[in-house]
Amino acid sequence: MPSLTALLSRVDPAIARKVERAMRRVPFLRRQMERQYDAIVDELDASLHPYRGRLAEYTQLPATGRSRDEILAEMTMLRDEEQGRWRDGFVSGAVYHGDAAHIDFLNQVYALNSQSNPLHFDLWPSTVKYEAEIVAMTAHMLGAGLSSDPVVGTVTSGGTESILLAMRAYRDRASAERGIERARIVAPSSAHAAFDKAAQYFAMDLVRVPVGPDYAADVDAMAAAIDKNTVALVGSTPSFPHGIVDPIPELAALAQEEGIGLHVDACLGGFVVPFARGLGYAVPDFDFRLPGVTSMSADTHKYGYAAKGTSVVLYRGDALRRYQYYAVADWPGGLYFSPTFAGSRPGALSAACWAAMVSTGEEGYRTAAAGILATGQLIRRWVEQIPDLVVLGDPLFVVAFGSPTLDIYRVLDAMTARGWSLNGLHHPPAVHLCVTLRHTQPGVAQRFVDDLRAAVAEVKANPSAKGGMAPVYGMAASMPMHGLVEDLLKRVVDALYRVA
Ligand SMILES: *Cc1c(COP(=O)(O)O)cnc(C)c1O
């Protein structure tokens, strides 16, 4: 008999959503679902909290403080236990630089600036300088000098915040200048989840247009999705799932023709792709030198090699950036303003970001990009030679692969068993490795491909093994009832915050 999820996968999604809503209104079914969620999450719980029973767990403040030495010793032990996988290159993305000397340097910079808060610009003008220069250097790298308009921006806490801020700026500009009440964003299906998050937070409509067979944005289909409420298009350089650079010159021309914005999400590629062309890779223009590009995001905490917690959002012109700001003149707490979502902000992270950029320099970024791109191409060619696997599209340094013959999530599980932490993807089922400087270390790429070959052989020999992530992805990919899967994911978040 076919499984319930297999049956559900044949149901029309629109009908499935109706059924789902109806099911949620039936208390008996609602309780059934809750019990199922509880069972799944209880099973995950132990793996989310491996230190339970081993380390002291605090559910209230300790009556008297613990010794600093003891805390430092415990944290050193945990750091040592946890760093092996990313340091030795078993992890997709996550840590983009990771050399010990670089980390030590950033830590020293953090220590020098740990009290700084750019909200108090009068107390820490040094942080103001660092942030202005982070924005200027990033803008220059992304074509500001070749742009017909000034390119401006702000430092944010990460790619998601950069994207949320830009989407809200487009919404508020359209509301103020065009009277649009419910703004629409048109994005390729491959655009980052942060665009969905922006649409949910700020009550906008996000239209996701399927990518073409090359996994790049389908410009004609995006053009067809533009309506009178559309405020901006989105393109990625490259996309998170498949590492594909969208046709930005065509999207920029379309945006200009329609008189709307184009956000180029270079969160991932902002510090790699600018150097790719000079290194011989065929990459079309993708930045502010195209007049239709009106905003960009670039993550300094990825390939900018800063510590986690910074990104840059850029705009064509001051007027659009001002829609991002917040200012209030009649608050009893005084005249107040802030550039981003946060009030107080960690100035030390901006100092560390500035120090990472200035100590690496253009030459350093180019050399790093050369190693990452070469390793990406090597891995891609090797994966292409593995029968049963296919590489999706024409990637630069994020290599996504699926299989026409095997359950790719079983391959993912077999790689996990070999110590790897890769990203599972769906629509279509696939797995990716995001290549970082960690993978440019001698022998790492070879080990990845050797392990991948062994994992494929293992799955071929035993295709019906049980457990792991394969059934979870199988369910999520085949289930038209997204709401149920989203419910389950939110319960996983609950579980992260559990204490015994
Ligand atoms: C990482 C990433 C983001 C989101 O960045 P966070 O720093 O995780 O918030 C957005 N877009 C792309 C393409 C990314 O790779």
Side-chain angles (χ1 to χ4, degrees), residues 96 157-161 163 192 194-195 236 238-240 265-269 297 299 301-302 310-311:
Y96 293 79
S157 64
T160 299
E161 189 182 10
I163 289 168
H192 196 271
F195 293 96
S236 309
S239 64
F240 172 85
D265 180 10
C267 279
L268 196 55
S297 44
D299 284 356
H301 71 189
K302 287 180 179 161
T310 63
S311 168

Side-chain angles (χ1 to χ4, degrees), residues 177-190:
E177 299 178 11
R178 292 168 59 197
I180 288 178
E181 282 172 15
R182 181 142 181 126
R184 169 191 278 224
I185 306 276
V186 174
S189 52
S190 56

Side-chain angles (χ1 to χ4, degrees), residues 105-422:
F105 170 63
L106 297 188
N107 291 347
Q108 282 181 50
V109 173
Y110 186 93
L112 286 170
N113 293 277
S114 70
Q115 301 310 300
S116 155
N117 177 0
L119 188 68
H120 301 283
F121 50 85
D122 53 331
L123 296 180
W124 288 284
S126 56
T127 308
V128 172
K129 168 182 155 51
Y130 300 142
E131 294 202 332
E133 292 176 14
I134 291 166
V135 171
M137 288 188 281
T138 308
H140 181 266
M141 192 182 60
L142 296 174
L146 303 165
S147 158
S148 44
D149 306 283
V151 176
V152 297
T154 68
V155 175
T156 73
S157 64
T160 299
E161 189 182 10
S162 291
I163 289 168
L164 259 57
L165 286 166
M167 294 305 107
R168 191 179 140 277
Y170 284 120
R171 183 197 72 172
D172 288 359
R173 179 175 73 171
S175 166
E177 299 178 11
R178 292 168 59 197
I180 288 178
E181 282 172 15
R182 181 142 181 126
R184 169 191 278 224
I185 306 276
V186 174
S189 52
S190 56
H192 196 271
F195 293 96
D196 282 294
K197 200 172 185 178
Q200 284 194 32
Y201 278 18
F202 306 129
M204 308 167 79
D205 292 320
L206 177 74
V207 180
R208 283 209 178 258
V209 178
V211 291
D214 55 356
Y215 297 90
D218 179 339
V219 180
D220 290 340
M222 284 178 67
I226 296 171
D227 71 356
K228 64 179 189 341
N229 292 324
T230 303
V231 299
L233 305 176
V234 174
S236 309
T237 60
S239 64
F240 172 85
H242 317 117
I244 304 297
V245 177
D246 286 326
I248 305 300
E250 289 77 7
L251 289 175
L254 175 61
Q256 250 192 318
E257 203 178 290
E258 297 282 344
I260 58 179
L262 169 62
H263 182 88
V264 175
D265 180 10
C267 279
L268 196 55
F271 286 78
V272 176
V273 180
F275 303 102
R277 193 148 45 182
L279 292 163
Y281 295 84
V283 181
D285 287 343
F286 69 98
D287 60 19
F288 285 102
R289 74 195 69 191
L290 296 168
V293 173
T294 51
S295 61
M296 292 187 77
S297 44
D299 284 356
T300 40
H301 71 189
K302 287 180 179 161
Y303 295 97
Y305 309 128
K308 276 288 175 279
T310 63
S311 168
V312 173
V313 60
L314 297 170
Y315 298 97
R316 178 179 295 279
D318 291 310
L320 183 54
R321 177 173 62 172
R322 264 180 228 126
Y323 283 106
Q324 176 188 303
Y325 296 161
Y326 174 76
V328 59
D330 59 357
W331 178 46
L335 297 175
Y336 183 94
F337 58 85
S338 70
T340 61
F341 291 133
S344 291
R345 292 188 296 119
L349 292 182
S350 294
C353 176
W354 182 90
M357 292 174 77
V358 170
S359 67
T360 304
E362 196 175 284
E363 182 65 41
Y365 285 113
R366 184 177 299 107
T367 307
I372 288 162
L373 289 162
T375 305
Q377 294 311 302
L378 191 64
I379 287 178
R380 173 234 182 121
R381 278 198 302 280
W382 284 344
V383 173
E384 281 169 347
Q385 286 163 14
I386 301 179
D388 296 294
L389 296 185
V390 283
V391 170
L392 308 190
D394 181 17
L396 282 173
F397 58 90
V398 177
V399 183
F401 49 93
S403 173
T405 49
L406 303 173
D407 180 344
I408 198 68
Y409 303 120
R410 296 266 168 235
V411 177
L412 174 63
D413 286 335
M415 288 297 277
T416 305
R418 285 169 172 74
W420 290 90
S421 170
L422 305 178

Side-chain angles (χ1 to χ4, degrees), residues 36-104:
Q36 301 263 347
Y37 294 148
D38 285 348
I40 296 172
V41 173
D42 283 346
E43 205 162 300
L44 269 175
D45 195 58
S47 67
L48 299 176
H49 303 284
Y51 302 121
R52 189 167 290 160
R54 192 183 132 196
L55 302 177
E57 201 168 35
Y58 298 99
T59 56
Q60 59 182 62
L61 287 170
T64 57
R66 232 178 121 181
S67 98
R68 288 173 178 163
D69 285 343
E70 201 183 297
I71 292 170
L72 288 170
E74 186 173 296
M75 286 186 173
T76 305
M77 173 189 78
L78 295 176
R79 191 265 322 258
D80 292 347
E81 281 181 31
E82 291 175 354
Q83 74 181 354
R85 285 176 88 201
W86 61 257
R87 193 190 51 203
D88 299 338
F90 281 96
V91 172
S92 173
V95 177
Y96 293 79
H97 194 298
D99 278 2
H102 181 72
I103 294 172
D104 285 346

